[in-house]
């Protein structure tokens, strides 16, 4: 069996994280290396490696995650001014943890195009 990812260990409460939201399907916690005043990661509890591995059966889950993102943006106080949601997929996008995750970034302005 392959080794658990760091995010699976957070889901299983084997390592600590600053959790801001949890339900049966997902978990949100502060990024350990924040790139903005607010930087939270939202992950499904289901082990999906990346956006490329989302199956049709996962579509209701992904919809749920975006509902949680909307609520979290309000809860974190970044909805009014705007925020960015990012999911890095694969090598070119610098994905480092092979468990699907959405970065929710806010509290400052962001440039476009991204680096
Ligand atoms: P990505 O490059 O998109 O795969 O981003 C992975 C993010 O995960 C990165 O911003 C740092 C964060 N991260 C890595 N390990 C940990 C950890 O142990 N705890 C927390 N809270 N965040 C982590």
């Amino acid at each position: 069996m392959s080794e658990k990812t760091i995010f699976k260990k957070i889901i299983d409460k084997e390592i600590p994280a600053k959790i801001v939201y949890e339900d049966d399907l997902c978990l949100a916690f502060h990024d350990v290396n924040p790139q903005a005043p607010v930087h939270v990661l939202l992950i499904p509890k289901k082990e999906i490696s990346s956006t490329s591995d989302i199956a049709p059966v996962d579509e209701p889950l992904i919809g749920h995650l975006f509902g949680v993102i909307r609520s979290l943006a309000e809860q974190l106080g970044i909805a009014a001014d705007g925020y960015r949601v990012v999911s890095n997929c694969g090598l070119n996008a610098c994905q480092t943890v092979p468990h699907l995750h959405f970065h929710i970034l806010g509290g400052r302005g962001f440039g476009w195009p991204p680096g």
Side-chain angles (χ1 to χ4, degrees):
M1 212 170 83
S2 60
E3 202 190 322
K4 283 185 184 183
T5 67
I6 197 89
F7 290 171
K8 178 62 176 158
K9 289 178 183 171
I10 290 173
I11 291 166
D12 291 343
K13 309 287 161 61
E14 291 173 6
I15 63 169
K18 292 183 185 166
I19 293 172
V20 294
Y21 177 81
E22 180 168 15
D23 65 25
D24 289 348
L25 298 175
C26 65
L27 186 66
F29 50 93
H30 288 281
D31 194 294
V32 79
N33 184 23
Q35 301 301 314
V38 175
H39 187 171
V40 163
L41 299 171
L42 177 64
I43 64 174
K45 290 185 174 176
K46 181 175 178 182
E47 290 186 274
I48 299 169
S49 297
S50 75
T51 54
S52 290
D53 300 290
I54 296 168
V57 72
D58 299 320
E59 287 170 10
L61 169 63
I62 301 305
H64 175 71
L65 293 178
F66 274 87
V68 171
I69 287 170
R70 185 184 58 230
S71 301
L72 274 173
E74 292 286 349
Q75 179 187 322
L76 296 165
I78 56 174
D81 287 343
Y83 57 96
R84 185 167 287 178
V85 180
V86 174
S87 189
N88 296 319
C89 179
L91 204 59
N92 273 1
C94 302
Q95 183 181 4
T96 58
V97 181
H99 183 119
L100 178 65
H101 51 284
F102 294 95
H103 298 259
I104 304 167
L105 299 137
R108 69 171 172 86
F110 297 99
W112 194 263

